[in-house]
C-alpha cells in the first residue's frame, strides 16, 4: 500500500467540519461501513419517530392521525424536504411508492410530452430496473428503445426521452448533468434523471439545470431505511401537461368526492397514487433531520477527499492485481470508489469477516461507498489496511469465502 501513515487520516478527521454529524447515526461499534450506496446507516432519531408512529399515532390516535398527526401531507412534506437537497423549489417533489413506480411514472409522462417522437434512449450500462422499465414503457407507447453510451450521446430529431443515471452504479462515474441536459433540450427532447446514487452526496440543482423530471430512492445516501419510498421530481412547467399513467384516487382533484371519473389534482399532488407507506415515510422524515445545519458543499468536499484518500491507498496495492475503475478526476466521480480484482467477491467476503462492509458487483468489482456524514478518514485508512493484509496473506483464498451458487450478493 502507498506509504501513507495513519496519522495523515487522523489529521484530516481532526479538521473535518462534518465530524459532528457522525453522532447523528447509530453505526455498530467496530464496524467500518462502506455500503451506504446500497443501504444507508440508521439515523439515531428514526427509532423514536417510528415507535411514536406505532404506539401513539397508530395505537392511540388511530384514523385521526391522517389529519391530527399529518399522515395525509407526508408525501408533499417529505418531498419538499428532499427537494431542498436536490435543488428543487417547493411543490415539485413528491415522495411515495418505489423507485420502479416513480420511474415508470416519469418515463411515461415524459414520453407523452413529445407525442410526435418515437424513440427513447437509455444508458446501456444503466441499472437493470432502468433498462427494464424503459423497455416496458417502449412497449406500452410503441417507442423504439435504444441503449447508448452517455459519453457518446447523440440525440436525433425523433428522440422523445433520454433517461440516464447521474452516477454509474458500477463504476461511480459522474456524468455532466448540465451539459447533457442542455444537449437533450437543444434537440427538443425531454430528460429524466435517476439520482439514486447522487441525492445526499452531490450538490444537484434540478431547477438550475432546467431539468424536466427526476427520480431517486431514499434508502441509500438519504438513509431512509430498507425499502424506503422513492421520490419523483416534475418541473413545475410540466405539471399541468403531464399525463401520468397511474391515476390513483389520492391523485384526484377531490379525492374524497369519490367520483367515478379521474380529474387530476393541481400541481404535484396529481402524482399521488394510493395510500402512502406511512411508517416508512415517518422513518424517512426523521432520517432527513440529519441534514439540519449541514452544508451540502462540505458534504461534497469531504466525499471527494475520502475518495482521493481511498484511491491513493488503492494505488499502493496494484502489485496484488487491484486496479481503480472509478474516474480519478473529482468532477467525474460520484461518492463511491470501485476497485477491480479477479477475486473481488472473495475479497468482499474476507473484508466483511473483518468488520469492513462494502459490496460486490459481478463480475469483478469491489464497490466502496463513501457516505460523508458518518464515515471518517481513519475508517477509509483502516479499511484499506485490512484489504492490504488480506491480499498479502491471501486470506481471501480460504474456502469459506468462495462464491457458491446460492450466495446472496446485495
Amino acid at each position: 500500500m502507498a506509504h501513507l501513515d495513519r496519522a495523515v487520516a487522523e489529521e484530516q478527521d481532526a479538521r473535518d467540519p462534518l465530524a459532528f454529524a457522525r453522532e447523528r447515526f447509530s453505526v455498530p461499534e467496530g464496524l467500518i461501513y462502506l455500503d451506504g450506496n446500497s443501504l444507508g446507516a440508521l439515523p439515531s432519531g428514526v427509532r423514536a419517530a417510528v415507535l411514536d408512529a406505532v404506539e401513539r399515532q397508530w395505537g392511540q390516535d388511530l384514523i385521526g392521525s391522517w389529519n391530527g398527526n399529518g399522515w395525509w401531507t407526508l408525501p408533499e412534506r417529505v418531498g419538499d424536504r428532499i427537494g431542498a437537497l436536490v435543488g428543487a423549489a417547493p411543490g415539485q417533489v413528491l415522495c411515495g411508492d418505489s423507485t420502479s413506480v416513480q420511474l415508470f411514472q416519469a418515463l411515461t409522462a415524459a414520453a407523452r410530452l413529445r407525442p410526435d417522437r418515437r424513440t427513447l434512449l437509455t444508458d446501456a450500462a444503466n441499472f437493470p430496473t432502468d433498462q427494464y422499465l424503459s423497455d416496458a414503457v417502449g412497449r406500452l407507447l410503441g417507442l423504439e428503445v435504444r441503449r447508448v453510451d452517455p459519453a457518446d450521446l447523440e440525440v436525433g430529431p425523433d428522440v422523445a426521452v433520454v433517461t440516464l443515471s447521474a452516477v454509474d452504479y458500477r463504476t461511480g462515474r459522474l456524468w455532466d448533468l448540465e451539459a447533457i441536459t442542455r444537449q437533450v433540450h437543444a434537440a427538443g427532447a425531454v430528460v429524466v434523471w435517476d439520482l439514486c446514487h447522487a441525492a445526499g452526496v452531490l450538490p444537484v440543482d434540478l431547477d438550475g439545470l432546467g431539468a424536466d423530471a427526476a427520480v431517486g430512492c431514499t434508502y441509500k445516501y438519504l438513509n431512509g431505511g430498507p425499502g424506503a419510498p422513492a421520490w419523483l421530481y416534475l418541473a413545475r412547467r410540466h405539471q399541468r401537461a403531464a399525463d401520468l399513467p397511474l391515476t390513483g384516487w389520492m391523485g384526484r382533484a377531490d379525492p374524497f368526492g369519490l367520483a367515478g371519473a379521474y380529474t387530476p389534482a393541481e400541481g404535484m399532488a396529481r402524482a399521488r397514487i394510493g395510500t402512502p407507506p406511512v411508517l416508512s415515510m415517518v422513518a424517512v422524515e426523521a432520517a432527513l433531520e440529519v441534514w439540519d445545519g449541514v452544508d451540502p458543499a462540505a458534504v461534497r468536499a469531504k466525499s471527494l477527499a475520502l475518495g482521493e484518500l481511498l484511491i491513493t491507498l488503492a494505488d499502493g496495492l496494484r502489485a496484488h492485481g487491484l486496479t481503480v475503475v472509478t474516474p480519478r478526476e473529482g468532477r467525474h466521480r460520484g461518492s463511491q470508489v470501485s476497485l477491480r480484482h479477479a477475486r473481488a467477491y472473495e475479497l468482499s467476503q474476507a473484508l466483511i469477516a473483518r468488520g469492513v462492509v462494502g459490496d460486490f458487483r459481478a463480475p469483478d468489482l469491489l464497490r466502496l461507498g463513501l457516505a460523508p456524514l458518518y464515515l471518517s478518514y481513519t475508517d477509509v485508512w483502516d479499511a484499506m489496511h485490512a484489504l492490504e493484509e488480506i491480499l498479502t496473506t491471501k486470506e481471501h483464498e480460504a474456502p469459506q469465502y468462495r462464491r457458491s451458487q446460492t450466495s446472496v450478493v446485495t
Side-chain angles (χ1 to χ4, degrees), residues 366-390:
L366 177 64
R367 295 194 319 169
L368 303 176
L370 306 173
L373 294 189
Y374 54 81
L375 194 68
S376 69
Y377 293 95
T378 49
D379 283 338
V380 169
W381 196 96
D382 290 345
M384 295 305 292
H385 181 65
L387 181 58
E388 179 186 29
E389 290 187 341
I390 291 168

Side-chain angles (χ1 to χ4, degrees), residues 164-402:
L164 303 171
S165 290
V167 177
D168 187 305
Y169 79 100
R170 302 161 309 139
T171 68
R173 174 166 183 172
L174 169 64
W175 300 108
D176 189 333
L177 277 69
E178 182 177 1
I180 291 175
T181 299
R182 186 167 55 246
Q183 178 186 3
V184 172
H185 286 171
V190 178
V191 62
V192 176
W193 285 108
D194 181 335
L195 301 183
C196 286
H197 284 267
V201 284
L202 295 176
V204 180
D205 182 7
L206 289 172
D207 287 349
L209 288 172
D212 300 295
V215 299
C217 65
T218 61
Y219 51 79
K220 298 183 189 296
Y221 295 117
L222 295 182
N223 311 295
W231 53 272
L232 167 68
Y233 165 86
L234 189 60
R236 195 178 306 280
R237 68 183 183 278
H238 290 314
Q239 289 176 9
R240 185 174 291 275
D243 184 2
L244 294 161
L246 299 177
T247 50
W249 76 283
M250 281 196 174
R252 195 182 184 280
D254 177 15
F256 289 98
L258 304 177
Y262 181 80
T263 302
E266 287 297 315
M268 278 303 291
R270 69 183 55 203
R272 296 178 66 134
I273 304 171
T275 306
V278 171
L279 297 181
S280 291
M281 295 192 72
V282 165
V284 174
E285 185 171 41
L288 292 171
E289 292 179 5
V290 301
W291 296 96
D292 291 346
V294 170
D295 180 3
V299 174
R300 179 57 173 162
K302 184 177 179 181
S303 166
L304 291 174
L306 289 168
E308 288 162 9
L309 175 62
L310 200 158
I311 289 170
T312 298
L313 295 171
D315 283 342
L317 302 176
R318 282 178 292 197
H320 295 283
L322 195 75
T323 58
V324 176
V325 175
T326 303
R328 295 168 182 271
E329 194 173 352
R331 66 190 181 96
H332 295 309
R333 190 170 75 238
S335 202
Q336 73 181 53
V337 174
S338 294
L339 307 175
R340 175 166 284 132
H341 191 276
R343 307 287 292 273
Y345 174 77
E346 290 89 340
L347 287 175
S348 71
Q349 298 305 297
L351 281 168
I352 290 171
R354 283 173 168 248
V356 179
V357 179
D359 72 8
F360 162 79
R361 285 293 177 266
D364 57 4
L365 292 182
L366 177 64
R367 295 194 319 169
L368 303 176
L370 306 173
L373 294 189
Y374 54 81
L375 194 68
S376 69
Y377 293 95
T378 49
D379 283 338
V380 169
W381 196 96
D382 290 345
M384 295 305 292
H385 181 65
L387 181 58
E388 179 186 29
E389 290 187 341
I390 291 168
L391 287 165
T392 301
T393 63
K394 300 188 185 301
E395 181 182 323
H396 60 292
E397 296 181 9
Q400 66 265 32
Y401 299 133
R402 291 176 190 160

Side-chain angles (χ1 to χ4, degrees), residues 25 27 46 61 95 109 149 160 268 313 318 328 362 386 399 405 407:
F25 291 87
V27 180
V46 168
D61 298 345
C95 185
D149 182 348
M268 278 303 291
L313 295 171
R318 282 178 292 197
R328 295 168 182 271
Q405 299 250 337
S407 296

Side-chain angles (χ1 to χ4, degrees), residues 39-278:
L39 176 66
L42 172 66
S44 302
V46 168
R47 185 179 290 103
V50 173
L51 187 62
D52 178 69
V54 171
E55 293 190 344
R56 181 183 64 81
Q57 298 178 34
W58 179 14
Q60 298 177 30
D61 298 345
L62 290 164
I63 201 166
S65 288
W66 283 105
N67 291 321
N69 291 309
W71 289 0
W72 184 266
T73 58
L74 272 169
E76 290 89 350
R77 198 167 71 237
V78 175
D80 283 343
R81 189 73 186 268
I82 294 169
L85 297 176
V86 294
Q92 297 178 103
V93 176
L94 190 87
C95 185
D97 300 290
S98 69
T99 307
S100 299
V101 169
Q102 300 291 27
L103 187 58
F104 177 71
Q105 289 274 77
L107 290 177
T108 305
R112 287 172 170 171
L113 290 172
R114 298 292 184 267
D116 297 330
R117 296 177 173 227
R118 310 312 305 160
T119 302
L120 186 156
L121 303 182
T122 188
D123 185 351
N126 219 339
F127 190 75
T129 289
D130 295 65
Q131 297 192 55
Y132 303 160
L133 281 166
S134 294
D135 289 337
V137 171
R139 292 192 300 272
L140 179 70
L141 301 181
L143 304 176
E144 177 189 359
V145 177
R146 295 210 310 265
R147 286 159 170 76
V148 298
D149 182 348
D152 300 312
L153 182 64
E154 295 183 5
V155 187
D158 197 44
V159 172
V161 182
V162 177
T163 177
L164 303 171
S165 290
V167 177
D168 187 305
Y169 79 100
R170 302 161 309 139
T171 68
R173 174 166 183 172
L174 169 64
W175 300 108
D176 189 333
L177 277 69
E178 182 177 1
I180 291 175
T181 299
R182 186 167 55 246
Q183 178 186 3
V184 172
H185 286 171
V190 178
V191 62
V192 176
W193 285 108
D194 181 335
L195 301 183
C196 286
H197 284 267
V201 284
L202 295 176
V204 180
D205 182 7
L206 289 172
D207 287 349
L209 288 172
D212 300 295
V215 299
C217 65
T218 61
Y219 51 79
K220 298 183 189 296
Y221 295 117
L222 295 182
N223 311 295
W231 53 272
L232 167 68
Y233 165 86
L234 189 60
R236 195 178 306 280
R237 68 183 183 278
H238 290 314
Q239 289 176 9
R240 185 174 291 275
D243 184 2
L244 294 161
L246 299 177
T247 50
W249 76 283
M250 281 196 174
R252 195 182 184 280
D254 177 15
F256 289 98
L258 304 177
Y262 181 80
T263 302
E266 287 297 315
M268 278 303 291
R270 69 183 55 203
R272 296 178 66 134
I273 304 171
T275 306
V278 171

